[in-house]
Amino acid sequence: MDVIAVIPARGGSVGLPRKNILPLLGVPLVVRTIQTALQAKSLKEVFVTSNDEDILRISAAAGATVIRRPETLSNSTASSEAALLHALQWIQEQGHALPDYLVFLQCTSAFTRSEDIDLVLETMVGKGARAALSVVEDHGFIWQEDDDGFAEGITHDHNEPRQRRQDMKPRYRENGAIYSMHVPSFLEKKERFCGPVVMVPVEGPTVEIDNKEDWDVVEAFLNARERPPKSAAGEHKVKAVITDFDGVHTDDRVIVDQDGRESVTCSRRDGLGLELLRKRNVKLMILSKEANPVVRARAAKLQVPVMNQIEDKLSVLDTWRQGQGLEWTEIVYIGNDVNDIDCMRTCGLSFAPADAHPAALDAADRILKADGGKGAVREMCDYLIAAGLVE
């Protein structure tokens, strides 16, 4: 069974401008949807269709195949079906066979899980349906005005005694997150509900992001659900701070002269911040994959021990930790890229500069306001001191 996902993501948005690339807990909204789709077992490939160059660039970097959508299919009146049909046409034009099934995902539903995607598809195929949609159980009472301007029940008879929830027949509401369809049937009818349809109940909140208020609600919920406080944040004093180098102490750029010599840009403020931690007896170390001598030169200037040319950072850090007699909960780690994630998730508290890789931002307990090489390390030091996490 050949299944793909298509994520339509326009550049324009009236309620919340540029919402598809706004960082939700540090991860652009469209990237969050891509990451969820890539983890689904049933999907062969994930496509993003957009008219916006930034969305296309960010989506490609996150692992999606991107489709440049014409402006005529990208305005506020264009239907999602039009974008999906264009995506299928583009796939054929690239010389590829059409898939058996298509899963349509919406960025505005930030609570979608990969297992929900698999469940929607599995249910549709298992029941022999031609379309499916994710729903949530809904016992709300919907009203409307009649022709005389008086209220009348839609989902209930308001002239009858009010039903108890346990006596009501289960009702479901479309949550706008996941749709799946049999591709030949979809191409024939050009509608997402292209034949017998099954509803697939899923768990979780049902907020769809359309404006700033929706965004704030979703962000607050995800922040509470996805970033539970670690024991290090308040229960254990910080005894060691480990930092990556490139993208943390530097702005992740390198200047190369005509003789091949490399130089980087750092922030003097970071050095003073580390000195404040050292005076509080916090152990410091730079742990870097970089082989360039500039790492050791900067570490010497900062008077910070360094281990560089390290591929497996977590195992090296674990050996060092045991030698120092430290618990993981007593260690803080700041990193900016995918090779830092294991350490960030294992240490008691983790930070990421504002311009870190999306995966590192997602793994961090706290995302800093400053970029790497522009005061991120100092901001972290100030936070640890102000929060009372160091002696």
Side-chain angles (χ1 to χ4, degrees):
M1 186 171 65
D2 192 5
V3 187
I4 66 168
V6 176
I7 305 169
R10 294 190 304 114
S13 174
V14 176
L16 184 60
R18 309 291 288 164
K19 67 182 176 185
N20 285 322
I21 57 174
L22 289 179
L24 183 61
L25 295 193
V27 181
L29 198 59
V30 67
V31 173
R32 176 176 286 271
T33 307
I34 293 168
Q35 291 174 342
T36 299
L38 290 173
Q39 293 171 7
K41 297 177 182 178
S42 55
L43 299 180
K44 176 183 178 182
E45 193 168 1
V46 178
F47 294 83
V48 170
T49 169
S50 181
N51 63 319
D52 186 275
E53 292 299 327
D54 289 334
I55 293 176
L56 294 171
R57 174 180 53 80
I58 291 171
S59 298
T65 300
V66 297
I67 300 173
R68 186 168 281 98
R69 197 191 325 170
E71 291 294 337
T72 54
L73 300 179
S74 303
N75 55 45
S76 58
T77 61
S79 68
S80 297
E81 279 82 354
L84 299 177
L85 289 167
H86 175 262
L88 292 173
Q89 178 184 344
W90 183 88
I91 290 171
Q92 281 189 305
E93 290 173 350
Q94 304 309 304
H96 303 300
L98 288 176
D100 301 312
Y101 297 94
L102 180 151
V103 175
F104 162 32
L105 301 173
Q106 299 208 97
C107 299
T108 50
S109 297
F111 299 111
T112 302
R113 304 176 304 173
S114 56
E115 53 263 40
D116 294 334
I117 298 172
D118 292 329
L119 179 61
V120 169
L121 185 71
E122 178 186 337
T123 304
M124 181 184 74
V125 174
K127 291 190 174 183
R130 287 294 177 261
L133 72 156
S134 57
V135 297
V136 292
E137 195 165 355
D138 188 346
H139 296 91
F141 295 97
I142 308 299
W143 295 77
Q144 67 180 7
E145 282 191 353
D146 63 17
D147 294 338
D148 297 321
F150 295 106
E152 64 178 359
I154 297 178
T155 58
H156 61 289
D157 187 345
H158 66 276
N159 296 310
E160 297 292 332
R162 175 59 60 93
Q163 281 185 297
R164 299 181 306 167
R165 173 174 176 172
Q166 59 266 37
D167 297 330
M168 296 171 60
K169 183 178 180 179
R171 290 200 303 260
Y172 300 93
R173 176 163 54 90
E174 189 174 334
N175 74 344
I178 309 168
Y179 304 86
S180 64
M181 55 212 76
H182 178 243
V183 169
S185 301
F186 174 61
L187 290 174
E188 179 184 353
K189 295 197 172 182
K190 297 179 172 52
E191 295 289 343
R192 72 186 73 178
F193 304 125
C194 51
V197 183
V198 292
M199 299 182 297
V200 184
V202 297
E203 298 178 356
T206 59
V207 181
E208 290 188 79
I209 298 175
D210 186 56
N211 53 44
K212 182 60 166 62
E213 289 72 23
D214 298 332
W215 183 280
D216 291 342
V217 169
V218 170
E219 188 171 51
F221 186 94
L222 288 174
N223 194 57
R225 187 179 76 174
E226 298 186 0
R227 291 199 183 145
K230 294 184 180 179
S231 58
E235 293 184 19
H236 295 270
K237 292 295 185 181
V238 171
K239 295 184 178 180
V241 170
I242 313 300
T243 72
D244 183 28
F245 187 72
D246 286 327
V248 173
H249 286 271
T250 78
D251 60 5
D252 219 14
R253 297 187 304 160
V254 61
I255 301 170
V256 184
D257 68 13
Q258 66 272 20
D259 298 318
R261 290 187 295 265
E262 296 183 358
S263 60
V264 296
T265 302
C266 302
S267 170
R268 290 187 181 275
R269 288 178 290 163
D270 292 347
L272 181 55
L274 293 172
E275 178 63 23
L276 293 172
L277 292 184
R278 184 185 297 109
K279 290 180 177 179
R280 288 166 169 80
N281 298 315
V282 175
K283 298 179 185 295
L284 304 172
M285 184 173 69
I286 294 174
L287 186 61
S288 173
K289 182 180 178 180
E290 178 58 53
N292 193 287
V294 72
V295 181
R296 290 192 171 275
R298 180 58 179 165
K301 178 72 173 179
L302 296 172
Q303 301 180 50
V304 173
V306 60
M307 294 185 185
N308 66 327
Q309 303 185 57
I310 303 299
E311 293 291 337
D312 185 354
K313 290 188 175 184
L314 184 60
S315 63
V316 170
L317 181 55
D318 191 24
T319 300
W320 177 86
R321 172 190 70 83
Q322 294 182 52
Q324 298 292 324
L326 297 172
E327 299 294 331
W328 284 115
T329 53
E330 299 171 322
I331 303 175
V332 167
Y333 191 98
I334 176 172
N336 82 307
D337 216 324
V338 293
N339 62 336
D340 297 306
I341 291 175
D342 288 341
C343 293
M344 294 172 72
R345 289 175 174 165
T346 304
C347 288
L349 187 62
S350 61
F351 293 81
D355 60 344
H357 186 278
L361 293 171
D362 196 42
D365 295 304
R366 186 174 181 85
I367 298 171
L368 300 163
K369 295 179 181 179
D371 292 343
K374 298 180 180 180
V377 173
R378 176 60 184 272
E379 183 184 339
M380 174 197 65
C381 296
D382 290 346
Y383 173 84
L384 295 176
I385 295 169
L389 296 179
V390 296
E391 297 292 350

